[in-house]
Amino acid sequence: MRREFITAVPPWEVREIALASGASVSLEITEAEPFRGMPRFRVVVKGGEWEVKKFMMHMMRARAGG
């Protein structure tokens, strides 16, 4: 499964959240177009369906963005 989203969360923090979630996923993080001067990052998450969902649930809870 592949999931893609854009976030203002810094890449190092996305990686920490992935480690804390315990999900076995691979991350590709690249810069996206800034929004009103705020840097944004495009994150591509790849892995099994449950693993990606596990990471996304943890990401939403960690950053209170869901």
Side-chain angles (χ1 to χ4, degrees):
M1 179 178 196
R2 181 178 191 259
R3 178 84 187 253
E4 183 175 330
F5 62 95
I6 295 177
T7 183
V9 178
W12 62 269
E13 193 169 342
V14 173
R15 289 186 184 99
E16 282 183 6
I17 292 169
L19 287 174
S21 73
S24 178
V25 294
S26 66
L27 301 173
E28 295 176 23
I29 303 173
T30 57
E31 286 190 35
E33 187 175 323
F35 179 72
R36 297 187 181 178
M38 181 174 36
R40 297 191 311 170
F41 304 93
R42 181 179 318 278
V43 180
V44 178
V45 184
K46 293 180 184 176
E49 184 176 354
W50 170 245
E51 297 296 319
V52 171
K53 286 182 181 180
K54 185 177 176 181
F55 166 74
M56 291 304 296
M57 286 188 301
H58 201 83
M59 179 76 179
M60 287 187 292
R61 288 182 184 135
R63 296 298 294 195

